[in-house]
Amino acid sequence: MAQLNLSNSKIIFPKKGIMEEKNVRIVDGTISEIGDGSNFGNEDQTIDLNGCYLSPGFIDLQVNGAGGVDFLTCEVDDLEQASEFLLAHGTTSFLGTIITQPLKSMNAAVNRLLEGDVNNLLGIHLEGPFLSSIERGTHNPDHVVEPDRDSFQTIIGDNGEDIRLFTFAPELEKSKDLLRWVQSIQALPSIGHSKASYEEIQEFLDLGVYSFTHLFNGMKNFHHRNPGPVGAALNSNAYVGIIADGQHLHPATVKLVENTKDSELIYLVTDAIAAAGMDEGRYVLGDQVIIVNDRLARLENGTIAGSTLTLERAVGNYMEFTGASLVDAVKTVTVNPARLLGMKEEIGTMAIGSKADLVVFDRNLEIKYTIIDGEVVYDGEC
Ligand code: FE
């Protein structure tokens, strides 16, 4: 029986708030007890968290690469390096995100990611290739295509059950068919890279879509007579992904979202690329060159291309930009994305019987420990 005790922690609960001086006992990868007092005994199996915060592990639904590794072009053996980088930043679950490429390259990238067997890969986010060629952002226009059953099948291959999130543009001709294909593999459809009208978006919300990929970025701008995807997202009960790096969105725009949306419906993503955690310089994102300067990643033509953000920085930025509490900010990277994916019973919460995927950090949001299945996988010490 593998046991780990975490003593003297401040636990962040989404509903109850922060509870101080708590101890947690983990047995065989599952939280078995949460209690008061000094500890549960067994000192050799106990880590004193010295009053650091303890929260469910962070969940990032949009990661294109990290720590020098680009998921579109890397080898299977490189994935561990990306995974370790993400673990060091508290991310216990992430969706490896595959952006628009030739169909077979997308399929090969999905296969490689799934072959890698890294412990924090939750599944795949397919972002493209069925996107607006106008609002394509960094997606290569040569490979953006109309929805088509064979194309969809080529990308998915035998991996339907590992595709968790699928970003698409609803205004494309066969998007309603695409929505059915996405729903048939039980992936979550998410609206993004779209120039659809408010009314077109509304039709898809009525068909059961309830997520927007990186709200504002890669979407037609809001106009008061043509509110488009942004207006539809802010008026709806759908979830919205936010890149809170201070560059993709002005801090006041993040504040606007926080003022408008229910706090349960916001999820932060990094949209990180290989350059996350690396020096300035040139990197690749699939078949495109990215130049990173002052933490900002751009294509050679100046288009913003992913980020170098990490989730704990996103949490700190979100608090700074919006004035949100630590509890509400942590929700955006734990229980909210878990609930969006329909996985709230498995990840993103802390309760007796839940999987011990946890993160420990100090008041500066510096990650001290990351724990997966009750095992310390990153040790930065309190
Ligand atoms: Fe994007």
Side-chain angles (χ1 to χ4, degrees):
M1 193 170 69
Q3 185 169 323
L4 176 68
N5 302 320
L6 304 172
S7 71
N8 192 17
S9 66
K10 291 191 187 87
I11 302 185
I12 300 175
F13 291 105
K15 292 226 165 83
K16 289 183 270 187
I18 295 170
M19 316 266 280
E20 300 204 14
E21 290 183 37
K22 289 285 177 189
N23 304 304
V24 173
R25 188 199 302 274
I26 301 163
V27 176
D28 289 338
T30 301
I31 295 174
S32 68
E33 205 174 334
I34 299 174
D36 298 308
S38 55
N39 62 57
F40 287 128
N42 292 326
E43 289 198 357
D44 52 336
Q45 294 171 314
T46 299
I47 301 176
D48 185 345
L49 300 188
N50 285 319
C52 280
Y53 292 104
L54 176 63
S55 121
F58 298 159
I59 303 168
D60 192 343
L61 302 188
Q62 195 162 2
V63 185
N64 308 282
V69 178
D70 170 37
F71 293 154
L72 290 171
T73 52
C74 69
E75 303 292 332
V76 175
D77 291 347
D78 300 333
L79 292 171
E80 197 60 43
Q81 188 179 320
S83 168
E84 278 174 17
F85 175 81
L86 294 168
L87 289 173
H89 292 276
T91 301
T92 52
S93 299
F94 72 96
L95 294 185
T97 302
I98 301 301
I99 70 162
T100 303
Q101 295 286 290
L103 305 175
K104 286 188 176 155
S105 306
M106 290 181 77
N107 173 257
V110 171
N111 288 336
R112 274 196 309 272
L113 268 172
L114 295 173
E115 215 181 296
D117 195 30
V118 295
N119 56 6
N120 51 350
L121 180 77
L122 184 64
I124 306 291
H125 174 174
L126 286 173
E127 190 190 10
F130 311 121
L131 306 174
S132 161
S133 54
I134 308 290
E135 296 294 346
R136 64 180 186 270
T138 190
H139 295 249
N140 188 331
D142 295 344
H143 310 310
V144 169
V145 291
E146 290 286 325
D148 165 84
R149 177 80 218 192
D150 287 346
S151 306
F152 178 80
Q153 200 49 55
T154 301
I155 299 165
I156 304 291
D158 298 327
N159 302 311
E161 65 184 31
D162 290 306
I163 312 297
R164 301 273 184 182
L165 200 58
F166 198 108
T167 296
F168 74 108
E171 68 272 23
L172 302 182
E173 205 185 309
K174 286 197 186 154
S175 279
K176 285 190 184 150
D177 294 331
L178 174 63
L179 178 60
R180 277 195 295 277
W181 307 332
V182 170
Q183 288 171 334
S184 75
I185 58 167
Q186 269 140 49
L188 190 86
S190 187
I191 293 167
H193 289 280
S194 166
K195 66 176 186 61
S197 67
Y198 186 89
E199 290 73 18
E200 282 172 313
I201 300 281
Q202 208 57 52
E203 272 188 62
F204 279 79
L205 297 178
D206 291 344
L207 288 169
V209 179
Y210 51 91
S211 171
F212 288 80
T213 297
H214 51 50
L215 184 65
F216 291 99
N217 297 116
M219 287 178 189
K220 189 169 64 175
N221 282 338
F222 178 86
H223 186 280
H224 52 289
R225 280 189 291 276
N226 193 353
V230 171
L234 293 179
N235 264 352
S236 72
N237 284 325
Y239 286 75
V240 295
I242 293 290
I243 307 172
D245 61 352
Q247 293 165 322
H248 279 74
L249 300 174
H250 189 287
T253 305
V254 181
K255 175 70 181 162
L256 175 69
V257 176
E258 194 260 350
N259 273 336
T260 313
K261 296 295 289 184
D262 188 305
S263 69
E264 315 287 306
L265 298 176
I266 299 168
Y267 64 99
L268 302 186
V269 298
T270 60
D271 202 11
I273 62 166
M278 308 298 284
D279 294 334
E280 296 190 344
R282 290 166 81 86
Y283 295 86
V284 293
L285 178 62
D287 55 6
Q288 302 188 94
V289 173
I290 308 286
I291 297 159
V292 176
N293 251 325
D294 198 18
R295 284 187 173 175
L296 185 59
R298 291 185 185 275
L299 295 179
E300 282 170 302
N301 69 12
T303 303
I304 294 185
S307 86
T308 60
L309 188 59
T310 51
L311 268 190
E312 90 286 20
R313 262 178 38 227
V315 169
N317 289 343
Y318 184 78
M319 291 169 69
E320 186 188 325
F321 300 164
T322 67
S325 66
L326 179 62
V327 174
D328 275 346
V330 165
K331 272 160 53 177
T332 66
V333 294
T334 54
V335 66
N336 293 359
R339 195 186 322 97
L340 170 62
L341 290 184
M343 299 186 74
K344 197 169 80 70
E345 304 307 315
E346 291 139 83
I347 53 172
T349 51
M350 267 184 76
I352 309 293
S354 64
K355 184 173 183 285
D357 284 3
L358 304 168
V359 59
V360 176
F361 51 86
D362 67 10
R363 62 172 64 187
N364 300 316
L365 287 160
E366 195 172 308
I367 305 298
K368 299 300 183 183
Y369 295 99
T370 305
I371 294 165
I372 288 193
D373 280 331
E375 258 181 63
V376 176
V377 288
Y378 171 75
D379 183 350
E381 292 190 5
C382 280

